[in-house]
Amino acid sequence: MQNIQRSKLFWASCFALLVTSLSFGIRAGILNQLGVEFQLSASELSTITATAFWGFPLAIVVGGFVVDAIGMKRLLVAAFVFHLAGILLTIFAQGYWTLFLSTLFIGIANGTVEAACNPLVATLYPENKTTRLNYFHLWFPGGIVIGTLLVFLFTNLGLSWQIQVAVMLLPTLVYGFLFSKLDFPVTERVASGYSTADMYKAVLSPLFIFMFICMFGTAITELFTGQWIDVLLRNVTDNALLILTLTTGVMVIGRGLAKPVVHKLSPAGVLCISAVLAALGIYLLSTLTGNSIFLAAIVFGLGVTYFWPTMIGFVAENIPKSGALGLNLMGGAGMFAVSIYTVFMGSFYDRIVTERLPAGADLNQYVSAAPGTEMATALNSAKNLAGPEVLQATLVIPIFLAIAFAGLFFYMRSRRNKNVQDSRYAAA
């Protein structure tokens, strides 16, 4: 990699991920504004939100299959075009379908960024994959912090949601310019000489399939809860959006300290402890009220801090023959699971709200009721109960993950001990 400027490539990748995360943070912050302006129900909002999660796995899986052939640079040019189109279409949205299409474009762009940048970071830093992937993915919660704070500030200043979305144009143009000027390496799998047959065999191995299934749960725990926190807890606390900001702020600090944590506990140990903390955090978010809910946000943030990058880093380190396809299948699995779960839980949320309204109530009439009216007050009371119930239903997922990752920890330790013994026998 003599002509490869890995530091510049890494920072350009961080800018690309910043746009991805800004789209999550800003959309989470303006979700209620979109619902009011376009008179959208929670089911419609959840479908729009889920569209980003549909585009993401589509792009990341397709990218995983073609990245070795066409190169990472071409994928990132495509990501730039989709980001630009999606942002502009959101700014000029006229209703449900334009929001649906713009969110789909942004989802495709986000998936394409991960399809190229995850294998790029693993290729640039083969000696330190999990730590570097944590540093790279630091920019995901980092962008959410920036996005939610901007929404909070701009909303208090009376600026429109269109201006808030337009903020994403600047880092989009920056990463598009940087990547257009830099040379890229080939992917690590190609450089290592692993064949396509080796790659497909690796992604069908029991360990990969186990991690693939667990990725469903880690992604739902982190991304569904984060994306919907403002909707679920808006009627429980006046600072619902700041809970997301605090949670992601914890994640930024945690990922910045990934090196000693991963080294001390091992990736499997990190995942097990993360699942326990995530379960405790969701439980506290669904039961606490007042200022104590911020403690719950910190615990939840600690729980989900290392999920995504450590899952990908674990596969990169322990199943290297899976290559870019393995990394991208993991990301695609996570986002696909979130998309399905978001739609399902959006309908579940609407059903809970409807059940707590007067018998025979039309939810759409209550959604469009003027603030301060009897119908609006009844709707707020129903939402006050529905949000925590959705969180409690989600709690079973990190509990399952804690058990699964405990098993993974002991399996990896026994495998490592066996490898040490085999090495000693071979040396003797």
Side-chain angles (χ1 to χ4, degrees), residues 34-35 37-51 54 89-90 92-104 161 343:
L34 295 177
E37 180 161 338
F38 297 110
Q39 295 188 356
L40 303 172
S41 68
S43 293
E44 290 172 319
L45 285 174
S46 68
T47 302
I48 291 170
T49 302
T51 304
W54 297 341
L89 194 56
T90 303
F92 298 105
Q94 299 298 311
Y96 175 81
W97 285 109
T98 43
L99 286 171
F100 181 95
L101 188 60
S102 65
T103 309
L104 177 63
W161 60 264
V343 172

Side-chain angles (χ1 to χ4, degrees), residues 61-398:
V61 171
V62 171
F65 280 102
V66 303
V67 64
D68 290 329
I70 70 172
M72 294 175 277
K73 185 167 186 171
R74 287 190 178 93
L75 277 184
L76 287 163
V77 170
F80 169 75
V81 171
F82 276 111
H83 263 145
L84 199 60
I87 293 167
L88 292 174
L89 194 56
T90 303
I91 293 170
F92 298 105
Q94 299 298 311
Y96 175 81
W97 285 109
T98 43
L99 286 171
F100 181 95
L101 188 60
S102 65
T103 309
L104 177 63
F105 282 173
I106 290 175
I108 291 172
N110 293 348
T112 307
V113 165
E114 292 249 359
C117 289
N118 281 329
L120 176 59
V121 172
T123 300
L124 292 173
Y125 300 95
E127 75 288 350
N128 211 7
K129 295 177 187 176
T130 299
T131 297
R132 275 291 170 174
L133 282 164
N134 268 282
Y135 290 165
F136 167 58
H137 282 278
L138 176 157
W139 288 91
F140 190 83
I144 292 177
V145 171
I146 295 169
T148 51
L149 287 175
L150 285 174
V151 169
F152 184 76
L153 175 62
F154 286 9
T155 300
N156 286 336
L157 292 175
L159 299 178
S160 69
W161 60 264
Q162 289 92 339
I163 293 176
Q164 297 168 29
V165 173
V167 168
M168 290 189 286
L169 287 171
L170 181 59
T172 300
L173 294 172
V174 169
Y175 92 72
F177 173 77
L178 289 174
F179 279 135
S180 70
K181 298 295 183 181
L182 294 168
D183 294 325
F184 280 67
V186 296
T187 60
E188 185 183 26
R189 182 186 70 82
V190 173
S192 300
Y194 296 134
S195 68
T196 303
D198 291 333
M199 178 180 71
Y200 286 120
K201 185 177 179 181
V203 298
L204 292 173
S205 66
L207 182 58
F208 183 87
I209 293 171
F210 172 83
M211 296 301 292
F212 184 84
I213 294 171
C214 287
M215 191 71 179
F216 293 167
T218 58
I220 288 171
T221 302
E222 176 185 346
L223 297 178
F224 167 77
T225 308
Q227 185 76 167
W228 269 76
I229 203 75
D230 188 44
V231 174
L232 297 177
L233 296 179
R234 173 170 286 272
N235 294 89
V236 177
T237 173
D238 293 331
N239 298 301
L241 189 59
L242 290 181
I243 293 173
L244 176 60
T245 307
L246 177 60
T247 298
T248 47
V250 171
M251 293 170 68
V252 170
I253 296 171
R255 289 181 182 178
L257 300 173
K259 186 174 182 178
V261 174
V262 173
H263 178 74
K264 182 73 174 177
L265 298 175
S266 83
V270 169
L271 290 171
C272 183
I273 294 173
S274 295
V276 172
L277 290 174
L280 178 60
I282 290 179
Y283 172 76
L284 293 175
L285 283 171
S286 68
T287 55
L288 296 180
T289 56
N291 290 332
S292 60
I293 205 166
F294 290 104
L295 171 63
I298 293 173
V299 175
F300 175 73
L302 289 171
V304 298
T305 289
Y306 299 110
F307 266 165
W308 190 281
T310 304
M311 292 290 287
I312 293 174
F314 180 93
V315 170
E317 290 186 359
N318 294 283
I319 319 173
K321 292 182 180 179
S322 65
L325 177 63
L327 303 187
N328 291 333
L329 284 175
M330 290 290 290
M335 285 298 184
F336 178 74
V338 174
S339 71
I340 299 300
Y341 193 79
T342 299
V343 172
F344 175 77
M345 295 309 282
S347 298
F348 179 61
Y349 179 85
D350 276 346
R351 187 164 69 249
I352 296 171
V353 170
T354 302
E355 288 172 355
R356 280 152 182 76
L357 293 175
D362 183 348
L363 180 59
N364 290 327
Q365 290 181 359
Y366 279 79
V367 169
S368 58
T373 62
E374 184 178 339
M375 292 176 71
T377 302
L379 179 64
N380 286 337
S381 297
K383 287 181 175 180
N384 189 44
L385 298 170
E389 281 198 40
V390 171
L391 287 174
Q392 287 169 11
T394 305
L395 178 59
V396 67
I397 296 175

